Amino acid sequence: MDSVGVAAAAPDAGPGPAWQSKCPWGAPSTTSISCSLADVMSEQLAKELQLEEENAAFPEVVAAAEGPFITGENIDTSSDLMLAQMLQMEFDREYDAQLRREEKKINGDSKVSISFENYRKVHPYDSDSSEDEVDWQDTRHDPYRADKPTTTPRRGFIGKGKDITTKHDEVVCGRKNTARMENFAPEFQVGDGIGMDLKLSNQVFNALKQHAYSEERRSAKLHEKKEHSTAEKAVDPKTRLLLYKMVNSGMLETITGCISTGKESVVFHAYGGKSATEDKVIPPECAIKVFKTTLNEFKNRDKYMKDDYKFKDRFSKLNPRKIIRMWAEKEMHNLTRMQNAGIPCPQVVVLKKHVLVMSFIGQDQVPAPKLKDVILSNEDMKKAYYQVLNMMQQLYRECNLVHADLSEYNMLWHDGKVWLIDVSQSVEPTHPHGLEFLFRDCRNVSQFFQKGGVAEALNERELFNAVSGLNITADNEVDFQAEIEALEKMNEDHVQNHGKKLSMFSSDGDPPIYDE
């Protein structure tokens, strides 16, 4: 090999020998660009470097972001997705324009306007609406709403000289009263008095204010009454809790349902359980009488209690809830008297506030029929009449009671005999109206059995004398009632003067007992 060939090959091999290019301690082939400290601390340089890194990492996203939605140029129509998005955007804009035309057509010049903002497809900054269009939902100031009256300064007047206006000015006070009406309860409709520049005098405003408070209290009272009242075939939460306690204690096995409703109570059927004490036996079937806690039914019932000697001191018109409990207690005491006398009636199990549990007159959840609903033969009707007559005499003589609401509606037919129920209104014969109640009972009983075909049935005056033993002799009913009222008046005067009951109602001997 000659020297020329070696010299020609030398430039291809590099400036130095081959071992120098592979040496790790050799000089680098690329030279780094030097920069100053100011360039390193430059914020703009940092943003450029970050943008370069993002472009290198997400090239497709950046390309899509700089697409036709922003510039609108160089649109690639070969992509079906791009064309669909563009068409959808154009459709949304046309739809929003149609909504704006509908709003303008419907609203017109009306003070109250509607808006279809919730139905728009494009956000407000994407729409082509002009800048002078106003979205009333986004504005806090309503140009159609009148400004509230300005308050008077602390010094009590505004203006100077002849233009002075004090806080007692009629126009200023009227506008203030109109603005203060907005503080009434939401249920009280006051209208747009400020917009109409309405001026209310102090007298009118005070009357409206008092009426608004009265309506608010009445509404709250009605709501409370509805919450805490026992309605037909339903019970309030407090009554329901009492029934739950009876079932949980084991006194009642289960409550099946409602069997009867009346003006003053609701009756439910229940199966009896086990008693906590051995001396008290609970019948297999029970009747739960829940006295209604609504007070409308008791407005005309106070005459049975306020003049009753047992409850006269406890009666108070100002506490009607206690009156209802006393009404249930009154029935319990009357039933106990009748049971001790041997009169067929429900047996008292327990009394809890206004809930009275009694024995059930009937069988297998079927209550015994009322005397007005049952069809009896002539013999059974005659038997029932003499039984009712004997029960009225026993009630008057042994129990010292007058039923005060005796009729075919309060007598049941079960096991071939008559049972008396609903004795909560029963009073003693010495009650100021006791003889009047007895005469009314005699009239109801006499008319029913006379219509039932009982030839032996006495009329109301003869039946009254037979039960009470007073032997009042009067030719007509008017004179008969006049003598009854005279006897009641004498007894009432004697009680007020001496504090004792007059024994003139009972005859020398016991009243005759009529038997078949």
Side-chain angles (χ1 to χ4, degrees):
M1 177 179 245
D2 61 4
S3 59
V4 176
V6 175
D12 297 336
W19 61 268
Q20 277 189 348
S21 60
K22 297 181 181 180
C23 181
W25 293 280
S29 58
T30 59
T31 60
S32 59
I33 302 174
S34 63
C35 59
S36 63
L37 180 61
D39 294 337
V40 174
M41 302 299 294
S42 174
E43 184 178 356
Q44 182 178 3
L45 179 61
K47 290 183 179 180
E48 291 178 358
L49 294 176
Q50 182 179 3
L51 184 61
E52 289 179 1
E53 293 179 0
E54 291 179 357
N55 292 338
F58 309 103
E60 298 180 357
V61 177
V62 175
E66 296 177 353
F69 291 103
I70 297 178
T71 62
E73 299 176 356
N74 300 326
I75 301 174
D76 186 10
T77 57
S78 61
S79 174
D80 294 339
L81 176 61
M82 191 67 64
L83 289 175
Q85 291 178 348
M86 293 174 59
L87 292 175
Q88 183 65 40
M89 179 66 69
E90 187 66 24
F91 173 78
D92 292 343
R93 290 176 178 174
E94 293 180 359
Y95 180 77
D96 292 346
Q98 178 66 22
L99 288 181
R100 287 193 296 272
R101 287 193 294 269
E102 291 291 335
E103 288 181 5
K104 186 175 181 181
K105 179 179 178 182
I106 295 175
N107 295 332
D109 299 332
S110 176
K111 292 184 179 181
V112 180
S113 61
I114 65 172
S115 175
F116 296 142
E117 180 67 25
N118 296 334
Y119 300 97
R120 293 183 181 177
K121 301 294 185 181
V122 185
H123 294 288
Y125 57 79
D126 291 334
S127 62
D128 296 334
S129 59
S130 60
E131 295 181 357
D132 55 349
E133 289 187 4
V134 182
D135 185 6
W136 298 113
Q137 290 187 351
D138 298 334
T139 56
R140 297 185 178 181
H141 178 69
D142 189 356
Y144 295 111
R145 184 176 180 85
D147 295 331
K148 292 186 178 181
T150 57
T151 58
T152 307
R154 185 174 297 179
R155 59 189 177 182
F157 65 91
I158 56 176
K160 294 181 180 180
K162 296 181 179 180
D163 299 332
I164 189 172
T165 303
T166 65
K167 62 180 181 180
H168 302 291
D169 185 72
E170 182 179 359
V171 177
V172 174
C173 290
R175 289 174 177 170
K176 284 184 179 180
N177 292 336
T178 303
R180 289 165 62 187
M181 284 198 307
E182 294 186 353
N183 298 329
F184 291 167
E187 296 82 9
F188 192 79
Q189 305 294 335
V190 296
D192 188 14
I194 299 178
M196 296 184 294
D197 196 16
L198 185 64
K199 306 175 186 64
L200 293 179
S201 63
N202 293 337
Q203 182 179 2
V204 175
F205 173 76
N206 291 334
L208 289 175
K209 182 179 178 181
Q210 187 64 31
H211 179 67
Y213 289 164
S214 300
E215 287 295 317
E216 188 176 1
R217 288 194 299 267
R218 188 181 68 87
S219 178
K221 187 176 180 180
L222 290 177
H223 179 72
E224 181 183 3
K225 182 179 178 181
K226 185 177 180 180
E227 285 289 328
H228 300 284
S229 62
T230 304
E232 185 176 357
K233 297 185 180 181
V235 293
D236 59 323
K238 292 183 179 180
T239 307
R240 193 178 299 112
L241 182 60
L242 289 176
L243 298 180
Y244 286 158
K245 288 182 178 180
M246 293 180 183
V247 175
N248 293 336
S249 64
M251 184 176 62
L252 297 178
E253 183 70 25
T254 181
I255 301 175
T256 57
C258 179
I259 57 176
S260 176
T261 59
K263 295 183 296 183
E264 62 184 29
S265 63
V266 182
V267 182
F268 296 91
H269 175 271
Y271 286 104
K274 297 180 181 179
S275 176
T277 58
E278 298 180 356
D279 56 343
K280 194 172 185 178
V281 179
I282 298 179
E285 291 185 272
C286 297
I288 306 174
K289 188 171 185 179
V290 180
F291 288 86
K292 291 182 179 180
T293 53
T294 51
L295 307 178
N296 295 333
E297 290 79 6
F298 289 88
K299 289 182 179 178
N300 59 347
R301 295 283 178 169
D302 56 350
K303 61 181 180 180
Y304 293 96
M305 299 189 66
K306 69 178 182 180
D307 295 328
D308 196 336
Y309 298 102
K310 298 190 301 295
F311 300 94
K312 188 174 183 179
D313 297 334
R314 299 170 54 190
F315 183 82
S316 174
K317 259 194 165 182
L318 301 179
N319 198 343
R321 299 277 176 189
K322 289 187 178 180
I323 297 177
I324 299 171
R325 295 184 184 180
M326 289 169 59
W327 195 260
E329 182 182 348
K330 196 167 183 284
E331 177 156 5
M332 182 193 68
H333 289 307
N334 293 338
L335 286 175
T336 304
R337 283 193 190 184
M338 296 169 60
Q339 185 179 354
N340 294 335
I343 298 176
C345 65
Q347 176 186 354
V348 177
V349 178
V350 70
L351 172 65
K352 294 290 186 181
K353 295 184 179 180
H354 60 283
V355 178
L356 180 62
V357 182
M358 307 171 290
S359 60
F360 180 68
I361 309 300
Q363 190 175 3
D364 297 334
Q365 302 185 27
V366 180
K370 297 178 181 179
L371 205 58
K372 75 177 187 69
D373 297 328
V374 68
I375 300 177
L376 300 177
S377 61
N378 294 333
E379 292 296 327
D380 289 339
M381 184 65 74
K382 184 178 179 180
K383 178 182 177 181
Y385 170 73
Y386 282 106
Q387 185 184 354
V388 171
L389 183 57
N390 290 332
M391 285 192 299
M392 292 178 68
Q393 291 177 340
Q394 278 184 287
L395 198 64
Y396 188 90
R397 181 185 62 180
E398 300 179 18
C399 302
N400 196 27
L401 286 176
V402 175
H403 192 283
D405 193 21
L406 187 61
S407 65
E408 61 273 16
Y409 294 89
N410 292 328
M411 292 185 286
L412 304 180
W413 180 260
H414 181 63
D415 288 341
K417 59 182 178 180
V418 180
W419 297 69
L420 291 184
I421 61 171
D422 193 9
V423 293
S424 56
Q425 72 287 329
S426 299
V427 296
E428 294 185 354
T430 52
H431 187 277
H433 303 284
L435 296 183
E436 295 180 19
F437 297 153
L438 178 60
F439 184 74
R440 186 177 61 189
D441 293 347
C442 294
R443 182 192 294 115
N444 295 336
V445 172
S446 177
Q447 290 179 356
F448 172 75
F449 283 103
Q450 285 179 355
K451 292 179 181 179
V454 180
E456 295 83 356
L458 305 174
N459 57 35
E460 56 267 21
R461 286 173 288 177
E462 295 174 347
L463 184 58
F464 179 87
N465 290 330
V467 173
S468 63
L470 288 177
N471 297 327
I472 299 178
T473 57
D475 297 335
N476 51 40
E477 184 176 345
V478 177
D479 296 339
F480 197 89
Q481 290 183 347
E483 293 191 25
I484 291 177
E485 293 177 0
L487 291 175
E488 291 177 342
K489 181 64 176 175
M490 291 174 58
N491 179 72
E492 186 176 0
D493 294 341
H494 184 84
V495 170
Q496 291 179 357
N497 295 332
H498 302 281
K500 297 180 180 179
K501 302 176 185 178
L502 192 61
S503 60
M504 64 176 299
F505 287 169
S506 59
S507 59
D508 296 337
D510 293 335
I513 302 298
Y514 286 82
D515 198 354
E516 185 179 358

